[in-house]
Amino acid sequence: MTPEEETAQQAAAEFRDTFQRLRAEISKFIVGQEALIHDVLTAAICGGHVLLEGVPGLGKTSLVHSLAQALDLNFRRIQFTPDLLPADIVGTQVLLEKNGQRSLEFQPGPVFCNVLLADEINRATPKTQSALLETMQELTVTVAGISHHLPPPFIVLATQNPIEHDGTYPLPEAQLDRFFFKLGIPVPTAEQWLTILDRTTTGTPPQLQAVATGADLLRLRQTARAVPAAREIQSWLVQTILATHPDAPEAPALVKKYVRHGASPRGAQALLGAARVRALLDGRTHVSREDVRGAALPALRHRLILSFEGEADGVQTDDLLRELWAL
Amino acid sequence: MPMPTTRDFLHHLLLRLRRRVWWRETARGLLLAGALLCLLAPFYLLRGHAVPLWLGALVLLAGAAFALWQCRRRRPTLADAAMVADRHFGLKDTLASAHAFEVTQISGAFAALTIRQADLWVSGREEAASERLPGESWARVWLPTLVVLAAAVLVFVPGPAPEVRRLQEQQAQVREQTAALNTALKEEIEALAEQLPEDQTGLTRAELAEWLKELQRTPDLREAMRQYARLEQHLKSAADRLSQHDKQALLRESGLALEKDPRHRPLSQHLQHSAYQQAAAELRKMDPAGLDLAAPAEARQQLDALRSAAKRMAEPAKRAPKPGAGQSKGRATDAPRQDNLTQSLVNLDSATRRLDDALRQAPTKDQESLQSGQSQPQSGRDQPPGQPDDPQGAQQGAGQAMSDLERQLRQLERDQQLGRQLQQLRQALSQSQSGLGKNQERETPAQALARMLGQDGGRGQGQAGAGKGGREWGTGTAESRRLGRDPLPGTDKTLELRGRPGEGTSDRAIESSDSGVGFSSRMGEEQQRRYRQQAESFLRRDDIPAEVRDGVKTYFETIQQPVEPAPPAPDPAPAPAPPPAREQKPGRV
């Protein structure tokens, strides 16, 4: 084995080890939700943002807070409301007087952090929602013509309530596409309920320790990006994603009927990135079809725009994807 | 033993996969062929036919082509082999990725680790290459194929229905018969073509070759009958073109005119009997070239016979209407021929007359030359040839006129002979094709044709049955028309046809004979021929019930029974009933 191979093997082992430690630490506070933690960590490693969807009280905020604590990252939370303005998020220039001179100085908003929780993001107006577009994609904030870089790593975890629609503004497709994963938070089982009660109502709540740093996260990201994917696997991935487009010849009848727009290239990027993480976690140094399939639902479910027939028939994108990817 | 690499493993697996694909596609091809055969077979079986073997071969070929095409289309590659192995052994695309990294030469430590991992797995699983692969269920692939193939074989078991078998036998028979008949016809027509002189008009070798091209071997009885009917039409039209009734009539008239002079009886007989070759030879005996001009008196005596013959022969020609006058449009093409012959006859007459005049004047000239004391010995020679008073020129002119007439007589003889051959061939064809499609145990149509053209061809001319005294008719039909007188065979009488020669042709020939009791030595050809043709046509039809045909056949056999002549009675006795054909028009047929 060459030194490079040994180094790569060690990096892969470190990747798995760090990932397991992070998952274990977060699981100290978050009961159950193993898949959710796995997917959030995957998105964090890949540098993606996560849209969390679930009813209130399922631990969304706690999950994000726990993630920031485990990674020892700067955490901010913004509660999105209809009167929230873009400047409340990205920051604004304020008039300051120093030494008898007045000048405009940029006052960074809460977005200048490592982990941002955009709570109930669909309650803000589209104008305010769009303030996050540049931030999420470019990792910069431009105010008064001046771009300000966000400190890496930067992760946005947004939440939205799926059952409350009054006074909400659905996220535009462009913004949805910028989320790496869209994750649903399932209701815990009865046993998990009991554990939650035990941990939160008696004694001292568990205190999380930082088991990794932002630098570790960036290193894990580099390791994951080095995992190769065979051309056949990539071709299969592309063909399958193209099949989500109703105009594509390979699209099945279900897609042609119920889908208005298929997944974008960002979807393919997210899928391949997540598959790489899964491959490393599985102890492999290459991407397999199984890895791609495993990441298909969270990476693509918010990228498929249903047609009128799909909406009217109550079709779920998850069902379409399961049919399409034989999950 | 070296450790097997991933590549070796995949190659080994690839061979197995290809073999499997080959067998599977072969089974599918056979399945397709069998299914096709089972689908197509009812089209034959429901109509009473046996399923032809060529159909089996055809669908088998189609199945083989399909199998080959599928084998080529589904030919697995190394990547396919790697994917199959990954799926079967649960390797999560390790082999496929390792193969792809090797092929595309992806560098990087992780890719190298994947390749190493794959090699490691292969080296630890040597038996994996021979492990049974999924989807190799032979029963699932071959069982339906064998069932369908068995069903496909069974469709060949039923034979054709009796009616179909009879039809097929008839078609095969017709095919063979038409082939044999066509060969015989080709031989006859080619022989005819070889006999044709280069300058033959009215029928060319190219035309005969065209006829030959139309003859095709066919299993279809109707088509065969149609093509022979077309050939018959060709033969008839060619024979009609060759027949020159106007010239024959003219020469017959000339023969009658010659009959009055006993010296010309042979020539008269030849002309009346259309023996133009012999007539030409007879004419040659009177060649004016043999006259001794030095002895004019003797030459004139010798010339007298020719002079008389030419004059008598020219009489009908001079009476004949001028070309174009009284001719129908349909006979306009015959006008030049008649004109030539008429002109030749008239020319001979005038030439002999000029020669006679020249000979008559010749002594006078000698005497004048003697009296002039040999002053102009060359005067006679200096005169231009062809002048009436030049014996030599007149002799040459008469010779030329006679040669011209001889040539026309020989041409006429040749056309007549060719026309007879065409008629003979047509009648033989007409008779022989009646056996088409029938089981000819004794004689095939080709044999019948050969027999009629060879042995019994004479009967095809419509001549009377030999020695039957006219009680039976011949077996053939005659299309030739007769004008003038015909000698009655076996008697010293002649049969005269009265018509109006020279005024176009008639569709009917009227034969008149003396009315009276008893039997004519000549058969009633025309009416009987028509009856016979109708009867044959009727008996040949398949859509008429057999009992009806038998009834008609019996009727005609009954009316064809020869009636014995009544014994001679001393006193006038009621005449026995004449034959039916003669009953239509007593005294006229």
Side-chain angles (χ1 to χ4, degrees):
Chain A
M1 192 178 289
T2 62
E4 289 80 13
E5 289 174 16
E6 285 181 1
T7 307
Q9 204 167 26
Q10 286 172 5
E14 186 190 345
F15 184 95
R16 283 193 295 277
D17 183 52
T18 308
F19 194 94
Q20 295 301 336
R21 277 189 284 120
L22 283 169
R23 189 159 64 180
E25 192 64 23
I26 294 170
S27 296
K28 283 181 184 175
F29 193 82
I30 304 297
V31 179
Q33 316 288 8
E34 295 294 330
L36 180 66
I37 296 168
H38 180 279
D39 287 340
V40 168
L41 282 173
T42 301
I45 289 169
C46 293
H49 313 290
V50 179
L51 179 62
L52 296 168
E53 194 173 77
V55 293
L58 290 180
K60 296 190 290 287
T61 309
S62 300
L63 172 65
V64 180
H65 198 197
S66 302
L67 175 70
Q69 282 185 318
L71 284 167
D72 194 19
L73 295 174
N74 186 14
F75 168 71
R76 295 278 178 83
R77 169 183 175 168
I78 304 173
Q79 183 66 42
F80 278 58
T81 55
D83 57 351
L84 191 72
L85 294 174
D88 298 333
I89 300 172
V90 297
T92 185
Q93 287 189 315
V94 295
L95 188 63
L96 293 177
E97 187 173 354
K98 285 183 180 177
N99 303 323
Q101 287 189 346
R102 290 180 181 178
S103 61
L104 286 171
E105 190 172 314
F106 177 68
Q107 190 67 34
V111 78
F112 284 86
C113 64
N114 295 117
V115 179
L116 177 68
L117 172 60
D119 210 359
E120 296 192 273
I121 189 172
N122 54 340
R123 289 198 174 279
T125 60
K127 181 181 178 182
T128 307
Q129 289 173 1
S130 63
L132 277 176
L133 282 176
E134 182 191 1
T135 310
M136 293 170 71
Q137 185 65 33
E138 311 292 338
L139 302 182
T140 57
V141 169
T142 303
V143 176
I146 301 171
S147 294
H148 305 275
H149 290 274
L150 299 176
F154 177 71
I155 309 161
V156 174
L157 291 103
T159 67
Q160 65 177 9
N161 186 347
I163 57 172
E164 225 177 298
H165 294 296
D166 291 340
T168 62
Y169 301 92
L171 290 173
E173 282 78 12
Q175 189 147 13
L176 274 176
D177 196 36
R178 280 170 170 76
F179 284 104
F180 190 85
F181 275 173
K182 179 184 178 184
L183 303 172
I185 300 178
V187 177
T189 61
E191 193 178 344
Q192 289 169 346
W193 276 99
L194 292 173
T195 310
I196 290 170
L197 290 176
D198 286 344
R199 286 187 187 175
T200 55
T201 58
T202 59
T204 311
Q207 297 297 312
L208 298 186
Q209 302 294 322
V211 294
T213 62
D216 292 336
L217 190 66
L218 292 176
R219 200 164 52 249
L220 294 183
R221 188 176 299 171
Q222 290 302 319
T223 304
R225 288 176 71 88
V227 174
R231 182 57 71 186
E232 283 81 7
I233 307 288
Q234 292 186 34
S235 299
W236 170 78
L237 185 153
V238 169
Q239 291 299 320
T240 319
I241 284 191
L242 280 176
T244 62
H245 290 259
D247 299 334
E250 55 267 45
L254 216 57
V255 169
K256 286 181 186 293
K257 185 177 179 184
Y258 291 127
V259 177
R260 184 154 55 94
H261 290 300
S264 65
R266 280 200 192 96
Q269 292 168 354
L271 198 52
L272 190 57
R276 286 188 163 112
V277 172
R278 282 177 168 264
L280 282 173
L281 292 177
D282 199 32
R284 284 178 282 108
T285 51
H286 63 273
V287 175
S288 73
R289 289 177 176 80
E290 194 177 293
D291 301 327
V292 177
R293 279 200 193 94
L297 280 179
L300 299 179
R301 61 164 62 111
H302 56 293
R303 291 185 164 95
L304 259 61
I305 311 301
L306 294 178
S307 64
F308 173 76
E309 286 83 0
E311 297 282 359
D313 290 352
V315 174
Q316 298 295 316
T317 51
D318 281 15
D319 297 333
L320 281 177
L321 288 169
R322 285 193 187 98
E323 182 77 22
L324 192 61
W325 290 71
L327 297 173
Chain B
M1 184 178 175
M3 296 289 283
T5 63
T6 305
R7 197 169 187 78
D8 298 334
F9 172 77
L10 292 181
H11 272 290
H12 182 78
L13 192 62
L14 181 63
L15 286 179
R16 290 182 58 193
L17 279 179
R18 285 183 177 168
R19 216 162 33 227
R20 190 175 76 178
V21 167
W22 191 89
W23 279 111
R24 188 182 62 210
E25 298 309 328
T26 302
R28 285 183 181 173
L30 289 173
L31 182 69
L32 176 74
L36 270 176
L37 196 59
C38 290
L39 279 175
L40 294 174
F43 288 103
Y44 290 91
L45 296 176
L46 292 177
R47 288 186 299 158
H49 289 267
V51 179
L53 286 175
W54 62 261
L55 183 67
L58 192 67
V59 296
L60 205 60
L61 204 64
F66 174 78
L68 279 176
W69 176 63
Q70 284 288 87
C71 281
R72 187 174 179 79
R73 201 168 68 92
R74 296 175 181 269
R75 195 164 188 255
T77 60
L78 275 177
D80 296 328
M83 201 164 70
V84 168
D86 282 335
R87 199 160 48 222
H88 179 59
F89 297 109
L91 295 178
K92 295 185 179 179
D93 294 321
T94 302
L95 295 176
S97 295
H99 170 69
F101 296 156
E102 278 186 337
V103 170
T104 55
Q105 296 182 340
I106 288 181
S107 61
F110 280 140
L113 280 174
T114 300
I115 293 170
R116 187 178 298 281
Q117 192 179 359
D119 287 340
L120 198 65
W121 182 88
V122 169
S123 63
R125 297 287 300 274
E126 289 179 19
E127 74 284 359
S130 55
E131 201 168 307
R132 186 180 178 80
L133 293 174
E136 267 187 317
S137 174
W138 291 95
R140 197 182 62 183
V141 175
W142 279 96
L143 200 60
T145 303
L146 291 175
V147 170
V148 172
L149 279 181
V153 168
L154 286 179
V155 302
F156 288 104
V157 173
E163 292 80 7
V164 174
R165 188 180 291 117
R166 188 177 56 77
L167 187 67
Q168 287 175 340
E169 286 172 358
Q170 188 195 44
Q171 285 182 343
Q173 206 169 29
V174 169
R175 190 185 292 113
E176 288 177 11
Q177 287 173 346
T178 52
L181 189 55
N182 287 353
T183 306
L185 283 171
K186 282 178 182 175
E187 287 174 0
E188 290 295 332
I189 292 175
E190 282 168 358
L192 205 61
E194 285 175 6
Q195 294 171 9
L196 279 183
E198 292 295 334
D199 58 345
Q200 178 66 44
T201 56
L203 181 64
T204 61
R205 291 179 182 179
E207 191 177 358
L208 292 176
E210 286 296 321
W211 297 354
L212 290 179
K213 282 181 189 170
E214 292 180 10
L215 294 178
Q216 300 291 336
R217 189 178 76 162
T218 175
D220 187 356
L221 181 59
R222 291 181 181 176
E223 177 56 31
M225 299 295 271
R226 272 196 289 272
Q227 75 173 1
Y228 293 133
R230 280 197 298 271
L231 181 59
E232 276 191 68
Q233 285 177 353
H234 290 323
L235 291 168
K236 182 177 184 307
S237 64
D240 286 347
R241 283 201 304 272
L242 290 170
S243 65
Q244 300 174 28
H245 298 295
D246 297 334
K247 284 185 177 180
Q248 291 172 3
L250 180 63
L251 291 173
R252 219 172 263 127
E253 290 288 333
S254 300
L256 282 173
L258 285 172
E259 201 174 28
K260 296 168 187 171
D261 190 340
R263 290 177 298 174
H264 304 314
R265 284 274 167 79
L267 179 59
S268 166
Q269 290 295 317
H270 294 322
L271 288 178
Q272 289 185 66
H273 297 162
S274 304
Y276 301 120
Q277 191 78 25
Q278 295 164 358
E282 196 68 35
L283 209 56
R284 175 53 61 188
K285 291 177 183 173
M286 298 182 279
D287 188 5
L291 295 177
D292 183 11
L293 297 181
E298 293 174 1
R300 281 197 66 200
Q301 284 179 356
Q302 291 172 7
L303 181 64
D304 185 51
L306 176 60
R307 174 79 187 90
S308 165
K311 185 178 179 183
R312 289 179 186 282
M313 282 194 296
E315 281 174 3
K318 290 174 180 172
R319 285 201 307 270
K322 296 294 179 187
Q327 296 287 335
S328 65
K329 287 181 181 178
R331 303 293 295 171
T333 52
D334 287 344
R337 293 181 184 178
Q338 185 182 1
D339 188 40
N340 286 342
L341 184 63
T342 306
Q343 195 63 43
S344 297
L345 290 171
V346 172
N347 284 349
L348 182 63
D349 180 36
S350 59
T352 52
R353 194 172 61 243
R354 277 201 306 273
L355 180 57
D356 188 38
D357 291 345
L359 287 174
R360 192 168 53 241
Q361 293 170 8
T364 308
K365 284 184 179 179
D366 292 343
Q367 288 170 2
E368 285 175 357
S369 67
L370 286 172
Q371 287 171 358
S372 62
Q374 308 293 329
S375 58
Q376 293 177 337
Q378 302 299 325
S379 60
R381 294 175 191 174
D382 292 342
Q383 287 182 350
Q387 291 296 323
D389 53 352
D390 178 12
Q392 286 181 347
Q395 187 182 26
Q396 285 179 3
Q400 282 178 357
M402 180 170 280
S403 298
D404 184 41
L405 184 59
E406 279 179 31
R407 185 179 54 77
Q408 294 214 36
L409 286 174
R410 288 199 176 91
Q411 176 71 34
L412 205 56
E413 174 78 22
R414 212 160 51 210
D415 286 354
Q416 191 172 261
Q417 179 67 23
L418 191 57
R420 271 200 296 272
Q421 285 178 315
L422 291 176
Q423 287 290 357
Q424 186 180 355
L425 182 59
R426 175 170 176 256
Q427 287 159 11
L429 176 61
S430 174
Q431 293 286 321
S432 60
Q433 65 180 292
S434 61
L436 278 175
K438 295 174 184 171
N439 191 9
Q440 299 290 328
E441 292 181 356
R442 292 190 305 172
E443 191 177 53
T444 64
Q447 289 169 343
L449 182 81
R451 176 180 58 78
M452 299 195 67
L453 289 175
Q455 300 171 2
D456 295 346
R459 291 203 293 172
Q461 301 300 314
Q463 292 177 0
K468 293 293 184 180
R471 293 170 189 169
E472 291 182 357
W473 50 78
T475 54
T477 55
E479 294 296 326
S480 60
R481 288 161 291 179
R482 293 179 294 110
L483 294 172
R485 291 179 180 177
D486 276 345
L488 286 174
T491 67
D492 55 352
K493 297 179 181 176
T494 57
L495 179 68
E496 183 177 3
L497 300 180
R498 291 179 183 169
R500 290 194 295 172
E503 294 186 4
T505 56
S506 169
D507 290 331
R508 301 185 64 185
I510 301 171
E511 296 182 60
S512 62
S513 63
D514 294 334
S515 61
V517 297
F519 294 93
S520 167
S521 59
R522 180 142 182 101
M523 59 186 176
E525 282 182 68
E526 188 182 10
Q527 193 75 4
Q528 290 163 358
R529 183 171 63 243
R530 194 158 64 237
Y531 275 22
R532 183 175 178 80
Q533 284 176 341
Q534 288 179 356
E536 284 177 355
S537 168
F538 185 81
L539 293 175
R540 210 178 292 161
R541 289 171 61 179
D542 292 334
D543 55 338
I544 306 288
E547 57 271 18
V548 178
R549 283 186 288 176
D550 290 343
V552 174
K553 190 175 179 183
T554 308
Y555 170 74
F556 275 95
E557 283 175 354
T558 305
I559 65 173
Q560 288 174 21
Q561 290 301 320
V563 180
E564 291 299 328
D571 50 353
R582 298 178 64 86
E583 282 180 357
Q584 303 297 321
K585 292 178 181 177
R588 304 182 79 189
V589 178

